Amino acid sequence: EVAASVPRRPIELRECAECGLVFNAAYGEGHGFYDSGYENRQSHSKAFRRHLTWLSTLIGAYLDTARPRILEVGCGKGQFLQQLAEMTGGEAEGYDTTYEGPNRLGDVTFYKEYLSAERVRGHFDAIICRHVIEHVPTIGSFLASLAKIARAAGDPPVFLETPRLEWILQHKSAWDIFYEHCNYFTEAALAGLCSRYGFKVLAHLPAFARQYQVLILEPDRADQDSGASVIHAIAQISQEAVIGLSRVIERESAGGTWAIWGAGAKGACLANRLPPGNLCMIFDTNPAKHGCYVPGTRIPIVAPTHEALASISLVVIMNPAYQDEIREQLGHMGYRGRVLVLDESFS
């Protein structure tokens, strides 16, 4: 009765025209598949044990230390990680919310939880992730997170194993399409996704009678420089630059009224980002903007004139490319106040 009451979910496969990922568009998380009743061990089969021995030997060939440290993300019940630790003479850590058993078995420590880069404990010589990515709907985020874990672990090789969509298609194996697998990867699609989200592909091998594919990866530091760190830098700018500029303006204007020169995108953005204060107008040489107001504010846009400048203690030049031209105009109009150019040295 319990088995009969388990709901069957819809499968609506889609293919991404850009990266080639095949995925179940009807997949939804939170259905409780991976509880204590989830059982996925295949090691009772001699044929599968031969595959695990082959995979252990492959990984062992990449380990050049007498006592390697091995990390497995999504270790399941932990049998493969124990076998690998015993064969290589190393110690290991495994993470999986479905793990059942003692926290430590021999030289292997298990954690019934998810792992993030911030929680990586020291250097590792290899990272394993077997038959996980086909279950993860947010595959890009997961691969990016796995790359961060690898960087935090000292850039070891990463061994990724998952089914091959080519085998399913070649063998017309419709029973290999099921709800728990929300992703299906051709070799090209998976290699492309790994490259996109932070890895270099060192090797790509078929396995287990070509039903599976094994990728050997390493973290791509160039990707880190152009990806996640850029977002981090933007976040820092958003938090720090506006606050810093506010302080500089307060100091340079000495509490008086001040103006922005340039009512384009930069000036409009700054006028909306700064807290309310003594910004009284924005100068612009475009006559079509005169008499208008900055969107999102009540700040007027005016022509730069001697009369308008008379009450201004500070002019903030938004774009340093125009500073020579603007300074020349300010000089012609007899402006004697301070000028602040928003370049990399403004703070």
Side-chain angles (χ1 to χ4, degrees):
E1 290 178 354
V2 173
S5 69
V6 173
R8 286 175 285 189
R9 304 288 181 177
I11 297 175
E12 298 176 10
L13 294 186
R14 301 286 185 269
E15 180 180 6
C16 176
E18 181 178 353
C19 72
L21 173 70
V22 175
F23 62 97
N24 180 10
Y27 185 86
E29 295 186 90
H31 296 314
F33 299 126
Y34 310 117
D35 55 18
S36 59
Y38 181 68
E39 174 56 61
N40 65 343
R41 284 173 287 193
Q42 298 165 268
S43 53
H44 296 285
S45 159
K46 290 182 179 179
F48 198 78
R49 288 199 298 272
R50 284 195 297 271
H51 166 64
L52 295 183
T53 299
W54 171 85
L55 184 59
S56 298
T57 304
L58 174 69
I59 296 170
Y62 280 81
L63 303 176
D64 57 1
T65 181
R67 187 166 173 77
R69 296 190 73 222
I70 302 166
L71 174 64
E72 185 169 13
V73 178
C75 65
K77 309 304 181 183
Q79 287 185 318
F80 177 72
L81 189 57
Q82 288 178 265
Q83 174 181 326
L84 186 59
E86 291 173 3
M87 192 196 83
T88 61
E91 59 179 330
E93 292 184 7
Y95 290 79
D96 200 302
T97 57
T98 69
Y99 173 74
E100 296 175 332
N103 293 337
R104 188 163 182 89
L105 287 170
D107 291 316
V108 183
T109 304
F110 293 101
Y111 300 90
K112 192 175 180 179
E113 60 191 58
Y114 294 109
L115 176 65
S116 64
E118 293 74 21
R119 301 194 63 189
V120 172
R121 303 170 175 89
H123 174 87
F124 286 88
D125 299 290
I127 296 177
I128 320 297
C129 186
R130 299 180 54 251
H131 297 277
V132 174
I133 58 174
E134 63 267 31
H135 298 271
V136 180
T138 53
I139 186 60
S141 297
F142 179 82
L143 288 173
S145 175
L146 187 62
K148 289 180 181 178
I149 289 171
R151 295 184 188 112
D155 295 343
V158 177
F159 298 84
L160 199 65
E161 184 180 41
T162 194
R164 290 176 68 240
L165 181 54
E166 288 93 340
W167 188 90
I168 295 174
L169 297 174
Q170 179 183 354
H171 291 266
K172 300 180 175 62
S173 184
W175 33 92
D176 272 296
I177 307 293
F178 42 84
Y179 190 83
E180 290 84 350
H181 283 190
C182 55
N183 298 321
Y184 302 85
F185 305 94
T186 63
E187 291 184 357
L190 183 53
L193 285 166
C194 290
S195 298
R196 175 180 294 191
Y197 288 104
F199 290 105
K200 290 181 180 178
V201 180
L202 303 179
H204 200 155
L205 308 170
F208 195 52
R210 306 185 70 83
Q211 292 188 38
Y212 298 160
Q213 53 185 315
V214 174
L215 281 78
I216 306 172
L217 312 166
E218 70 176 11
D220 188 345
R221 286 288 177 177
D223 178 84
Q224 180 189 26
D225 293 339
S226 63
S229 63
V230 173
I231 299 301
H232 178 67
I234 292 173
Q236 285 187 313
I237 289 172
S238 298
Q239 292 180 340
E240 298 173 7
V242 174
I243 296 174
L245 179 57
S246 297
R247 292 171 179 165
V248 173
I249 289 174
E250 183 178 358
R251 182 184 70 233
E252 295 295 315
S253 65
T257 57
W258 62 281
I260 290 173
W261 191 301
K266 298 177 191 293
C269 180
L270 181 62
N272 278 274
R273 293 292 301 274
L274 289 177
N278 293 331
L279 173 59
C280 62
M281 65 187 72
I282 293 188
F283 296 119
D284 201 283
T285 56
N286 184 348
K289 296 184 179 184
H290 300 161
C292 299
Y293 294 81
V294 178
T297 78
R298 296 178 181 273
I299 299 170
I301 303 171
V302 302
T305 64
H306 173 76
E307 292 75 21
L309 284 162
S311 62
I312 301 299
S313 61
L314 173 70
V315 172
V316 176
I317 299 176
M318 294 302 305
N319 193 330
Y322 300 123
Q323 66 169 312
D324 292 342
E325 173 187 334
I326 294 170
R327 287 181 185 277
E328 183 180 358
Q329 293 182 62
L330 289 171
H332 288 325
M333 288 180 282
Y335 177 69
R336 295 293 182 266
R338 300 184 66 82
V339 176
L340 177 66
V341 181
L342 297 192
D343 57 16
E344 66 274 8
S345 64
F346 79 87
S347 58

